Amino acid sequence: MELQLPENIMRKAVKGISYIAHPLRLRILEYLDVNGSSSVSTITKALNEEQVIISQSLKKMREANLVKTTRRGIFIYYNICEEYPASIFSCLRKLYAMMTDNFYFLEEGVKAILPSDYTMMTANRIKLFANYDKMRILEILTLRGPMNVTDIINAIGSPQLKVSQYLKRLKDDGFVTSERQGRFIIYNITQGVHKTCIQCIHKRYEALKDKSLF
């Protein structure tokens, strides 16, 4: 059975996820993932946004270790960090392909810009679950399948009131479902960007020989 991520790793993952839960930041990261190292002016022109807004977003993502910079003469170039953000886009493209039957995005090694409305929807959905306790709940349901509240509480070590509140929110947002089985209410994770992110983070972590590099 695959194990839950260590607390420090999950907290780092949540921090990264919370930073990309913003349509423009997600589009910037996607652009860098597809096109590689780029200057602020190039990104600004490609995304048709104001340069000051692009610069502010890049500064925040650099502070969060989502992008890195290199200097070439008088110009500074940005690139996506070699952590899980890049692998998340690979997962999101596959998810989009399965949702739309656009099998081009399922081809190995394909890097292409997704439709902007899908990117915006994705960022807004991520924002709803970019929280440590919520992601712990989603993680345990991904790893172990359907569970009741007591088992979830025991697995993640959070107070019952907090778990119950977050399960309600996750259900209201369509991230989990529930059904009564005898005297128990059983929760299960649904398919979507939330499950994709959990799986992708685990895949990245398991692939690292030196886990401290996550």
Side-chain angles (χ1 to χ4, degrees), residues 83-98:
E83 292 189 20
Y84 61 84
S87 58
I88 282 177
F89 285 109
S90 175
C91 296
L92 291 181
R93 291 183 189 110
K94 291 178 181 178
L95 178 61
Y96 175 77
M98 291 184 286

Side-chain angles (χ1 to χ4, degrees), residues 4-17:
Q4 294 172 260
L5 294 174
E7 180 179 348
N8 66 313
I9 297 297
M10 177 57 88
R11 290 195 181 280
K12 187 173 182 180
V14 171
K15 183 178 179 181
I17 286 291

Side-chain angles (χ1 to χ4, degrees), residues 27-206:
R27 288 174 62 209
I28 292 172
L29 287 172
E30 181 185 36
Y31 180 84
L32 293 174
D33 182 50
V34 172
N35 296 283
S37 185
S38 304
S39 65
V40 174
S41 58
T42 300
I43 299 169
T44 299
K45 184 177 180 180
L47 300 187
N48 193 29
E49 295 284 350
E50 294 182 19
Q51 184 163 325
V52 65
I53 297 176
I54 295 292
S55 296
Q56 289 171 349
S57 293
L58 285 167
K59 180 177 183 295
K60 290 180 179 179
M61 289 192 290
R62 184 183 180 186
E63 291 171 352
N65 295 318
L66 294 174
V67 300
K68 56 188 176 182
T69 60
T70 55
R71 181 177 288 277
R72 300 179 193 172
I74 62 172
F75 297 103
I76 295 176
Y77 287 78
Y78 289 82
N79 205 349
I80 196 167
C81 283
E82 293 300 322
E83 292 189 20
Y84 61 84
S87 58
I88 282 177
F89 285 109
S90 175
C91 296
L92 291 181
R93 291 183 189 110
K94 291 178 181 178
L95 178 61
Y96 175 77
M98 291 184 286
M99 288 172 60
T100 63
D101 290 334
N102 188 333
F103 298 112
Y104 168 72
F105 286 95
L106 284 176
E107 295 179 17
E108 191 66 31
V110 164
K111 286 191 175 184
I113 299 294
L114 292 162
S116 59
D117 57 345
Y118 175 76
T119 305
M120 181 175 292
M121 179 273 291
T122 297
N124 289 330
R125 294 290 287 168
I126 291 173
K127 188 182 300 182
L128 295 173
F129 66 83
N131 166 282
Y132 178 80
D133 292 290
K134 287 183 179 180
M135 286 185 62
R136 274 301 192 200
I137 293 171
L138 293 174
E139 178 192 34
I140 200 65
L141 291 176
T142 298
L143 297 178
R144 301 189 189 177
M147 300 175 70
N148 62 46
V149 178
T150 301
D151 289 340
I152 294 172
I153 291 168
N154 292 335
I156 68 175
S158 292
Q160 181 174 348
L161 180 60
K162 181 182 285 188
V163 171
S164 296
Q165 289 175 338
Y166 281 135
L167 279 169
K168 182 181 185 305
R169 293 177 191 175
L170 290 168
K171 182 181 177 182
D172 290 344
D173 291 326
F175 297 130
V176 302
T177 59
S178 68
E179 66 171 334
R180 181 171 290 280
Q181 294 182 8
R183 63 189 184 91
F184 295 105
I185 296 178
I186 306 298
Y187 290 88
N188 197 11
I189 189 168
T190 57
Q191 297 294 329
V193 64
H194 52 298
K195 187 173 184 178
T196 296
C197 283
I198 296 294
Q199 292 171 328
C200 205
I201 291 167
H202 268 261
K203 183 178 180 181
R204 175 60 182 166
Y205 179 74
E206 293 302 323

